[in-house]
mmCIF file of all heavy atoms in Angstrom:
data_model
loop_
_atom_site.group_PDB
_atom_site.id
_atom_site.type_symbol
_atom_site.label_atom_id
_atom_site.label_comp_id
_atom_site.label_asym_id
_atom_site.label_seq_id
_atom_site.Cartn_x
_atom_site.Cartn_y
_atom_site.Cartn_z
ATOM 1 N N THR A 181 103.765 114.759 59.019
ATOM 2 C CA THR A 181 105.134 114.864 59.539
ATOM 3 C C THR A 181 105.753 113.469 59.637
ATOM 4 O O THR A 181 105.037 112.468 59.667
ATOM 5 C CB THR A 181 105.148 115.478 60.957
ATOM 6 O OG1 THR A 181 104.400 114.597 61.830
ATOM 7 C CG2 THR A 181 104.528 116.861 60.998
ATOM 8 N N VAL A 182 107.085 113.430 59.705
ATOM 9 C CA VAL A 182 107.797 112.152 59.851
ATOM 10 C C VAL A 182 107.368 111.484 61.157
ATOM 11 O O VAL A 182 107.114 110.273 61.208
ATOM 12 C CB VAL A 182 109.332 112.382 59.829
ATOM 13 C CG1 VAL A 182 110.082 111.104 60.144
ATOM 14 C CG2 VAL A 182 109.757 112.924 58.474
ATOM 15 N N GLN A 183 107.267 112.300 62.217
ATOM 16 C CA GLN A 183 106.878 111.782 63.533
ATOM 17 C C GLN A 183 105.471 111.162 63.477
ATOM 18 O O GLN A 183 105.238 110.065 63.983
ATOM 19 C CB GLN A 183 106.895 112.936 64.537
ATOM 20 C CG GLN A 183 106.901 112.469 65.986
ATOM 21 C CD GLN A 183 106.848 113.653 66.955
ATOM 22 O OE1 GLN A 183 106.619 114.789 66.545
ATOM 23 N NE2 GLN A 183 107.045 113.387 68.230
ATOM 24 N N GLY A 184 104.554 111.863 62.815
ATOM 25 C CA GLY A 184 103.181 111.367 62.679
ATOM 26 C C GLY A 184 103.129 110.077 61.891
ATOM 27 O O GLY A 184 102.438 109.119 62.263
ATOM 28 N N ALA A 185 103.888 110.027 60.787
ATOM 29 C CA ALA A 185 103.914 108.823 59.947
ATOM 30 C C ALA A 185 104.487 107.640 60.711
ATOM 31 O O ALA A 185 103.977 106.523 60.634
ATOM 32 C CB ALA A 185 104.730 109.094 58.687
ATOM 33 N N THR A 186 105.549 107.901 61.487
ATOM 34 C CA THR A 186 106.193 106.830 62.258
ATOM 35 C C THR A 186 105.229 106.281 63.303
ATOM 36 O O THR A 186 105.083 105.057 63.461
ATOM 37 C CB THR A 186 107.482 107.369 62.938
ATOM 38 O OG1 THR A 186 108.264 108.035 61.951
ATOM 39 C CG2 THR A 186 108.297 106.256 63.562
ATOM 40 N N LYS A 187 104.555 107.177 64.027
ATOM 41 C CA LYS A 187 103.603 106.745 65.067
ATOM 42 C C LYS A 187 102.430 105.987 64.452
ATOM 43 O O LYS A 187 101.981 104.976 64.989
ATOM 44 C CB LYS A 187 103.085 107.960 65.850
ATOM 45 C CG LYS A 187 104.094 108.492 66.854
ATOM 46 C CD LYS A 187 103.519 109.680 67.617
ATOM 47 C CE LYS A 187 104.492 110.172 68.679
ATOM 48 N NZ LYS A 187 104.034 111.435 69.276
ATOM 49 N N ALA A 188 101.915 106.491 63.329
ATOM 50 C CA ALA A 188 100.783 105.839 62.661
ATOM 51 C C ALA A 188 101.169 104.432 62.209
ATOM 52 O O ALA A 188 100.395 103.484 62.335
ATOM 53 C CB ALA A 188 100.335 106.672 61.466
ATOM 54 N N GLU A 189 102.404 104.297 61.725
ATOM 55 C CA GLU A 189 102.870 102.987 61.259
ATOM 56 C C GLU A 189 103.019 101.999 62.420
ATOM 57 O O GLU A 189 102.659 100.827 62.296
ATOM 58 C CB GLU A 189 104.203 103.150 60.512
ATOM 59 C CG GLU A 189 104.542 101.944 59.689
ATOM 60 C CD GLU A 189 105.737 102.148 58.759
ATOM 61 O OE1 GLU A 189 105.846 103.212 58.112
ATOM 62 O OE2 GLU A 189 106.557 101.234 58.688
ATOM 63 N N VAL A 190 103.511 102.485 63.545
ATOM 64 C CA VAL A 190 103.635 101.626 64.739
ATOM 65 C C VAL A 190 102.252 101.117 65.153
ATOM 66 O O VAL A 190 102.059 99.930 65.434
ATOM 67 C CB VAL A 190 104.320 102.392 65.915
ATOM 68 C CG1 VAL A 190 104.170 101.647 67.233
ATOM 69 C CG2 VAL A 190 105.790 102.622 65.604
ATOM 70 N N LEU A 191 101.267 102.015 65.176
ATOM 71 C CA LEU A 191 99.893 101.636 65.533
ATOM 72 C C LEU A 191 99.306 100.629 64.546
ATOM 73 O O LEU A 191 98.603 99.696 64.935
ATOM 74 C CB LEU A 191 98.993 102.876 65.564
ATOM 75 C CG LEU A 191 99.039 103.717 66.832
ATOM 76 C CD1 LEU A 191 98.371 105.056 66.593
ATOM 77 C CD2 LEU A 191 98.335 102.996 67.985
ATOM 78 N N LEU A 192 99.618 100.829 63.289
ATOM 79 C CA LEU A 192 99.124 99.945 62.235
ATOM 80 C C LEU A 192 99.642 98.513 62.458
ATOM 81 O O LEU A 192 98.878 97.542 62.398
ATOM 82 C CB LEU A 192 99.619 100.477 60.884
ATOM 83 C CG LEU A 192 98.993 99.973 59.612
ATOM 84 C CD1 LEU A 192 97.498 100.290 59.577
ATOM 85 C CD2 LEU A 192 99.673 100.620 58.410
ATOM 86 N N LYS A 193 100.946 98.411 62.753
ATOM 87 C CA LYS A 193 101.558 97.088 62.962
ATOM 88 C C LYS A 193 101.016 96.459 64.255
ATOM 89 O O LYS A 193 100.808 95.251 64.344
ATOM 90 C CB LYS A 193 103.095 97.207 63.009
ATOM 91 C CG LYS A 193 103.733 97.747 61.719
ATOM 92 C CD LYS A 193 103.654 96.761 60.575
ATOM 93 C CE LYS A 193 104.054 97.323 59.232
ATOM 94 N NZ LYS A 193 105.458 97.598 59.007
ATOM 95 N N GLN A 194 100.782 97.298 65.255
ATOM 96 C CA GLN A 194 100.209 96.835 66.534
ATOM 97 C C GLN A 194 98.801 96.269 66.284
ATOM 98 O O GLN A 194 98.433 95.222 66.801
ATOM 99 C CB GLN A 194 100.125 98.037 67.481
ATOM 100 C CG GLN A 194 99.886 97.693 68.935
ATOM 101 C CD GLN A 194 99.799 98.989 69.756
ATOM 102 O OE1 GLN A 194 100.622 99.891 69.609
ATOM 103 N NE2 GLN A 194 98.800 99.096 70.598
ATOM 104 N N MET A 195 98.046 96.983 65.464
ATOM 105 C CA MET A 195 96.695 96.578 65.114
ATOM 106 C C MET A 195 96.722 95.227 64.392
ATOM 107 O O MET A 195 95.901 94.336 64.649
ATOM 108 C CB MET A 195 96.088 97.649 64.199
ATOM 109 C CG MET A 195 94.627 97.466 63.902
ATOM 110 S SD MET A 195 94.084 98.763 62.759
ATOM 111 C CE MET A 195 92.327 98.512 62.781
ATOM 112 N N TYR A 196 97.716 95.068 63.506
ATOM 113 C CA TYR A 196 97.826 93.814 62.762
ATOM 114 C C TYR A 196 98.197 92.650 63.690
ATOM 115 O O TYR A 196 97.656 91.545 63.565
ATOM 116 C CB TYR A 196 98.858 93.949 61.627
ATOM 117 C CG TYR A 196 99.003 92.680 60.823
ATOM 118 C CD1 TYR A 196 97.935 92.187 60.072
ATOM 119 C CD2 TYR A 196 100.193 91.947 60.831
ATOM 120 C CE1 TYR A 196 98.040 91.023 59.345
ATOM 121 C CE2 TYR A 196 100.309 90.776 60.108
ATOM 122 C CZ TYR A 196 99.220 90.313 59.363
ATOM 123 O OH TYR A 196 99.332 89.144 58.654
ATOM 124 N N ASP A 197 99.102 92.900 64.646
ATOM 125 C CA ASP A 197 99.477 91.853 65.622
ATOM 126 C C ASP A 197 98.263 91.411 66.424
ATOM 127 O O ASP A 197 98.057 90.224 66.689
ATOM 128 C CB ASP A 197 100.584 92.369 66.559
ATOM 129 C CG ASP A 197 101.917 92.517 65.830
ATOM 130 O OD1 ASP A 197 102.066 91.893 64.756
ATOM 131 O OD2 ASP A 197 102.786 93.269 66.315
ATOM 132 N N GLU A 198 97.446 92.391 66.794
ATOM 133 C CA GLU A 198 96.209 92.141 67.545
ATOM 134 C C GLU A 198 95.268 91.259 66.707
ATOM 135 O O GLU A 198 94.688 90.297 67.187
ATOM 136 C CB GLU A 198 95.547 93.509 67.799
ATOM 137 C CG GLU A 198 94.535 93.543 68.910
ATOM 138 C CD GLU A 198 95.155 93.368 70.295
ATOM 139 O OE1 GLU A 198 96.118 94.082 70.648
ATOM 140 O OE2 GLU A 198 94.655 92.476 70.993
ATOM 141 N N TYR A 199 95.178 91.612 65.436
ATOM 142 C CA TYR A 199 94.316 90.873 64.495
ATOM 143 C C TYR A 199 94.785 89.413 64.373
ATOM 144 O O TYR A 199 93.982 88.487 64.395
ATOM 145 C CB TYR A 199 94.356 91.584 63.136
ATOM 146 C CG TYR A 199 93.880 90.776 61.953
ATOM 147 C CD1 TYR A 199 92.539 90.431 61.814
ATOM 148 C CD2 TYR A 199 94.778 90.375 60.953
ATOM 149 C CE1 TYR A 199 92.094 89.704 60.716
ATOM 150 C CE2 TYR A 199 94.340 89.648 59.857
ATOM 151 C CZ TYR A 199 93.009 89.311 59.746
ATOM 152 O OH TYR A 199 92.576 88.590 58.658
ATOM 153 N N LYS A 200 96.114 89.221 64.289
ATOM 154 C CA LYS A 200 96.653 87.852 64.164
ATOM 155 C C LYS A 200 96.346 87.035 65.413
ATOM 156 O O LYS A 200 95.972 85.867 65.332
ATOM 157 C CB LYS A 200 98.171 87.899 63.939
ATOM 158 C CG LYS A 200 98.534 88.151 62.490
ATOM 159 C CD LYS A 200 99.958 87.731 62.146
ATOM 160 C CE LYS A 200 100.986 88.404 63.030
ATOM 161 N NZ LYS A 200 102.361 88.274 62.530
ATOM 162 N N LYS A 201 96.476 87.693 66.592
ATOM 163 C CA LYS A 201 96.175 86.998 67.862
ATOM 164 C C LYS A 201 94.717 86.575 67.892
ATOM 165 O O LYS A 201 94.376 85.456 68.253
ATOM 166 C CB LYS A 201 96.458 87.941 69.047
ATOM 167 C CG LYS A 201 97.779 87.627 69.768
ATOM 168 C CD LYS A 201 97.901 88.426 71.042
ATOM 169 C CE LYS A 201 98.440 89.824 70.751
ATOM 170 N NZ LYS A 201 98.479 90.694 71.916
ATOM 171 N N GLU A 202 93.852 87.508 67.501
ATOM 172 C CA GLU A 202 92.409 87.230 67.527
ATOM 173 C C GLU A 202 92.034 86.132 66.544
ATOM 174 O O GLU A 202 91.152 85.324 66.802
ATOM 175 C CB GLU A 202 91.619 88.506 67.197
ATOM 176 C CG GLU A 202 91.636 89.505 68.333
ATOM 177 C CD GLU A 202 91.056 90.847 67.924
ATOM 178 O OE1 GLU A 202 90.807 91.032 66.730
ATOM 179 O OE2 GLU A 202 90.868 91.693 68.804
ATOM 180 N N THR A 203 92.738 86.106 65.419
ATOM 181 C CA THR A 203 92.449 85.084 64.417
ATOM 182 C C THR A 203 92.807 83.715 64.973
ATOM 183 O O THR A 203 92.072 82.747 64.817
ATOM 184 C CB THR A 203 93.252 85.352 63.128
ATOM 185 O OG1 THR A 203 93.067 86.717 62.775
ATOM 186 C CG2 THR A 203 92.787 84.488 61.982
ATOM 187 N N SER A 204 93.945 83.654 65.696
ATOM 188 C CA SER A 204 94.367 82.352 66.238
ATOM 189 C C SER A 204 93.473 81.919 67.402
ATOM 190 O O SER A 204 93.304 80.733 67.654
ATOM 191 C CB SER A 204 95.837 82.401 66.663
ATOM 192 O OG SER A 204 95.994 83.359 67.688
ATOM 193 N N THR A 205 92.868 82.891 68.124
ATOM 194 C CA THR A 205 91.978 82.505 69.240
ATOM 195 C C THR A 205 90.527 82.454 68.791
ATOM 196 O O THR A 205 89.616 82.320 69.610
ATOM 197 C CB THR A 205 92.101 83.509 70.417
ATOM 198 O OG1 THR A 205 91.770 84.807 69.923
ATOM 199 C CG2 THR A 205 93.492 83.524 71.010
ATOM 200 N N LYS A 206 90.320 82.627 67.468
ATOM 201 C CA LYS A 206 88.960 82.550 66.888
ATOM 202 C C LYS A 206 87.979 83.531 67.550
ATOM 203 O O LYS A 206 86.863 83.178 67.899
ATOM 204 C CB LYS A 206 88.387 81.110 67.011
ATOM 205 C CG LYS A 206 89.247 80.018 66.409
ATOM 206 C CD LYS A 206 89.015 79.922 64.900
ATOM 207 C CE LYS A 206 89.667 78.724 64.270
ATOM 208 N NZ LYS A 206 91.124 78.764 64.221
#
Side-chain angles (χ1 to χ4, degrees):
T181 62
V182 173
Q183 196 183 10
T186 310
K187 283 181 177 171
E189 196 171 317
V190 167
L191 278 167
L192 195 61
K193 298 290 170 72
Q194 194 181 314
M195 188 182 189
Y196 180 64
D197 290 341
E198 199 69 51
Y199 163 69
K200 278 200 304 194
K201 257 189 276 175
E202 287 171 351
T203 311
S204 62
T205 58
K206 305 278 189 290

